[in-house]
Amino acid sequence: MSGKLGRALDALFDHYVFVLLILAQAALVQFGVANALSTGMVGILLCAAGLGLRRSARVDLWIAVPMAAYLALGMASAYMTFGNTVQGYPSTHVIFFAIYFIMACMNGGELRLLKRLNALWAGGAAAVSLGMFLLQALSGTAGRLGGLLRNPNALGIFLAVGWFAITACLEEDGEEDALNRALRHAEPLVLAALAMTLSMGSFLAMAAGILALLLEKKRRASWQEVFGYGFVVLAKASLCFAAGILMYVTARQTRIPWFCLFLLAWLLALAASWGTFERFLRTYRWAAMGLSGGGIAVAAAAVAIRPSALATFAERIEMMENGLGYLLFHPVLGLGPGQWREWNLYDGDKYFGTWHIHNFLIHIGVELGLIAMAMLVIVIVRHFRKTGAPGAAAYLLHTLRDTSYFYCGITSLTLVSAGEPQKGGRTLGIAATRAVFVLLAAHFAWCCVYMAYHYFL
């Protein structure tokens, strides 16, 4: 036993960067809309890991430079508003740049392993969230699943991106090892948990991602193969969504919430035999087509359970219109981080009572300025010119009508699962790479010192 434990610890230390990155992902999810202290502590550890690699980074300058410019403009806006660069969300978003640079220091095999571990973390988060729902159901307090993110809409897009990450990993050519088997068993849990969020925005985002997935498939397959593949994907999603909605209805709208235990047992049995179920769908196309058609009934049930979603969507359109009215007030540095809410309180328009406009580009344009917004547009365009990652497409659609961009754990999950720093990149020297990590570490250290001094001392 001690020998096995020793070998496990050796393997852990050999892959400490991966361990730190996955732990960082878990921490960022718990932080929600993080503050500078929490991201600062995580960032220092990540920069130390990056320095420990002692490698040169290969980065796409069309993404790295606009990202750096966006962060600099954001902190300049924070300085103009608060007199320091720490307050507000721009200082926390530097964590994305740190993760991107660590990914840029990895070779192809290491990046693939990181993406697989990242997808497995999404599956683990889904399992934990299902356990949280079960405890709430047994105590009679169950509602829409918010899970680890404590917000159904945020958890919904997190799981949608996680599902696309799992799908991408499973479709890569490679041997069926223990990690792939774990990912395969996690897939139905992720889909069922996503259904239990009843997040209509996440469902629409997932539909957009599936469309991008099919278009990507068409590049290397015939239309017949694409339709066959699409029916399998929709059949799997329909069955798991039906299970998730049944669990929600049982826990929320019946007098026998404990019946969730039987539904959960069925879901776990389905997860255990997921590979066999997939082979069945590929062999018998009529079954895949039938289950895909059942997805219409599942969608109708979701809308019937949550009819208020349409009113919510209309309110978000109003919010975007309000935000557009502020774009030219301060076009260079914007109103300042977190200032739109205060301006909205005193203008003659409807007060929405939220910190973020539910469209991240409009929000960034309003609070950080049009140049910062343009930098993000460049990053988006460059990414989709390089790759049509379905998870990134789903995430982008969601951020254009919700606030998921400001949840560090969701954005970092998308960055790791869809990011390809080396593709079309340029190699930096080891000295330049180390200098970037030192500058990032100095920023994170300053955030920690400032927050500790002003809020805890």
Side-chain angles (χ1 to χ4, degrees):
M1 180 65 71
S2 60
K4 292 181 179 179
L5 180 60
R7 288 192 295 272
L9 289 174
D10 289 340
L12 190 67
F13 285 118
D14 289 341
H15 298 89
Y16 70 95
V17 175
F18 302 101
V19 175
L20 279 176
L21 279 166
I22 299 306
L23 290 176
Q25 293 282 57
L28 292 175
V29 164
Q30 290 300 301
F31 297 154
V33 181
N35 61 41
L37 178 62
S38 54
T39 55
M41 292 186 293
V42 173
I44 289 172
L45 291 175
L46 292 182
C47 289
L51 289 168
L53 287 174
R54 298 183 180 180
R55 298 183 190 175
S56 58
R58 183 174 177 80
V59 297
D60 185 345
L61 296 181
W62 279 100
I63 287 182
V65 172
M67 191 185 300
Y70 157 73
L71 295 171
L73 287 163
M75 285 185 282
S77 179
Y79 184 81
M80 293 295 293
T81 304
F82 306 112
N84 64 81
T85 61
V86 175
Q87 287 180 263
Y89 52 83
S91 63
T92 68
H93 289 181
V94 180
I95 195 75
F96 306 143
F97 200 74
I99 293 173
Y100 181 81
F101 247 81
I102 290 181
M103 293 172 63
C105 292
M106 295 180 176
N107 60 39
E110 291 171 334
L111 192 57
R112 179 173 177 267
L113 175 60
L114 176 62
K115 289 177 181 290
R116 295 168 75 200
L117 292 172
N118 186 63
L120 186 62
W121 152 241
V128 172
S129 297
L130 283 172
M132 295 169 67
F133 179 86
L134 181 62
L135 292 176
Q136 292 171 348
L138 295 177
S139 64
T141 60
R144 292 174 59 202
L145 180 60
L148 286 177
L149 279 85
R150 299 176 294 279
N151 182 305
N153 293 332
L155 181 65
I157 188 58
F158 176 88
L159 294 175
V161 171
W163 177 70
F164 284 114
I166 290 173
T167 300
C169 292
L170 291 177
E171 290 191 355
E172 287 184 357
D173 293 331
E175 60 181 12
E176 185 72 4
D177 56 11
L179 188 51
N180 265 14
R181 287 193 293 273
L183 289 173
R184 195 175 303 282
H185 295 318
E187 185 178 4
L189 302 182
V190 171
L191 289 170
L194 171 56
M196 294 164 68
T197 66
L198 290 177
S199 172
M200 300 303 165
S202 300
F203 297 167
L204 290 174
M206 183 178 173
I210 290 175
L211 178 60
L213 182 65
L214 296 179
L215 292 175
E216 185 181 9
K217 186 80 171 177
K218 181 63 183 70
R219 296 176 184 174
R220 55 185 186 276
S222 66
W223 279 112
Q224 183 178 3
E225 291 173 318
V226 170
F227 279 116
Y229 174 79
F231 284 131
V232 171
V233 169
L234 292 176
K236 293 192 297 182
S238 297
L239 183 63
C240 294
F241 269 45
I245 289 176
L246 278 175
M247 288 183 68
Y248 172 84
V249 171
T250 301
R252 180 70 177 173
Q253 300 181 357
T254 71
R255 296 182 179 180
I256 49 172
W258 51 265
F259 194 76
C260 282
L261 293 171
F262 294 99
L263 293 171
L264 181 62
W266 179 85
L267 181 62
L268 293 176
L270 178 65
S273 57
W274 193 243
T276 303
F277 178 64
E278 285 185 299
R279 290 191 292 272
F280 169 78
L281 292 176
R282 293 193 184 99
T283 303
Y284 300 100
R285 182 170 295 184
W286 56 268
M289 293 176 64
L291 284 174
S292 299
I296 299 175
V298 174
V303 173
I305 294 171
R306 191 166 174 254
S308 61
L310 294 177
T312 301
F313 178 74
E315 184 180 50
R316 292 177 182 183
I317 295 296
E318 293 181 70
M319 194 185 305
M320 295 174 204
E321 292 175 350
N322 177 273
L324 288 172
Y326 287 109
L327 278 179
L328 299 179
F329 270 48
H330 297 284
V332 179
L333 293 178
L335 303 179
Q339 298 306 297
W340 168 76
R341 176 187 172 101
E342 186 173 345
W343 283 65
N344 176 231
L345 177 62
Y346 293 106
D347 66 24
D349 206 344
K350 177 180 178 180
Y351 178 60
F352 298 97
T354 181
W355 285 101
H356 302 107
I357 299 171
H358 284 52
N359 179 303
F360 84 112
L361 285 177
I362 295 176
H363 185 91
I364 294 301
V366 169
E367 292 198 342
L368 305 186
L370 296 179
I371 302 175
M373 181 176 73
M375 293 300 102
L376 287 182
V377 171
I378 291 173
V379 171
I380 293 167
V381 172
R382 176 62 175 175
H383 172 79
F384 282 102
R385 287 194 64 182
K386 290 200 306 180
T387 176
Y395 170 80
L396 177 61
L397 180 65
H398 196 269
T399 58
L400 293 175
R401 58 177 307 279
D402 213 312
T403 63
S404 45
Y405 174 72
F406 299 96
Y407 282 79
C408 290
I410 301 173
T411 301
S412 62
L413 179 78
T414 308
L415 174 62
V416 174
S417 61
E420 295 287 348
Q422 294 91 347
K423 190 173 182 180
R426 180 178 298 179
T427 301
L428 302 180
I430 294 180
T433 302
R434 290 177 65 86
V436 170
F437 281 122
V438 168
L439 288 174
L440 292 175
H443 164 79
F444 291 127
W446 166 239
C447 288
C448 290
V449 170
Y450 179 91
M451 294 292 287
Y453 180 78
H454 285 84
Y455 293 96
F456 298 102
L457 297 180

